[in-house]
Amino acid sequence: PQEPSDSPGADSIKIKKEVANTFVKRQKRSSLYSEYYKSPMEQMHERCENYPPCDYLSDQIGFYMAYNRFFG
């Protein structure tokens, strides 16, 4: 194990400006994508929540069984 005094400080870590810009742009693009994308599981939950009989039954017997009864 290295001692903390042996590790390089943050000031000694350098990356090229172009590399940094590419990374920052990629991060922004992926965060915008994740705001609009919903996983299939999240879509299933919303579908069940928006249908009152499924929503009620999911509280009684669980989401998977309720979803499969109405939409499966």
Side-chain angles (χ1 to χ4, degrees):
Q2 291 183 344
E3 295 294 322
S5 60
D6 293 341
S7 62
D11 294 336
S12 67
I13 299 172
K14 306 267 187 216
I15 58 173
K16 292 182 180 179
K17 184 177 180 181
E18 295 80 18
V19 174
N21 285 341
T22 302
F23 175 76
V24 170
K25 287 177 186 173
R26 186 170 40 237
Q27 288 294 92
K28 287 181 181 176
R29 187 170 46 239
S30 67
S31 67
L32 286 174
Y33 175 75
S34 65
E35 288 178 18
Y36 295 107
Y37 174 77
K38 293 183 181 174
S39 69
M41 184 59 66
E42 187 175 357
Q43 292 173 359
M44 290 169 61
H45 274 279
E46 287 184 357
R47 185 175 184 192
C48 188
E49 288 172 356
N50 290 332
Y51 185 58
C54 183
D55 189 35
Y56 175 78
L57 193 59
S58 70
D59 290 338
Q60 307 302 314
I61 63 172
F63 166 74
Y64 290 107
M65 292 176 67
Y67 186 88
N68 284 332
R69 178 168 293 173
F70 292 102
F71 304 109

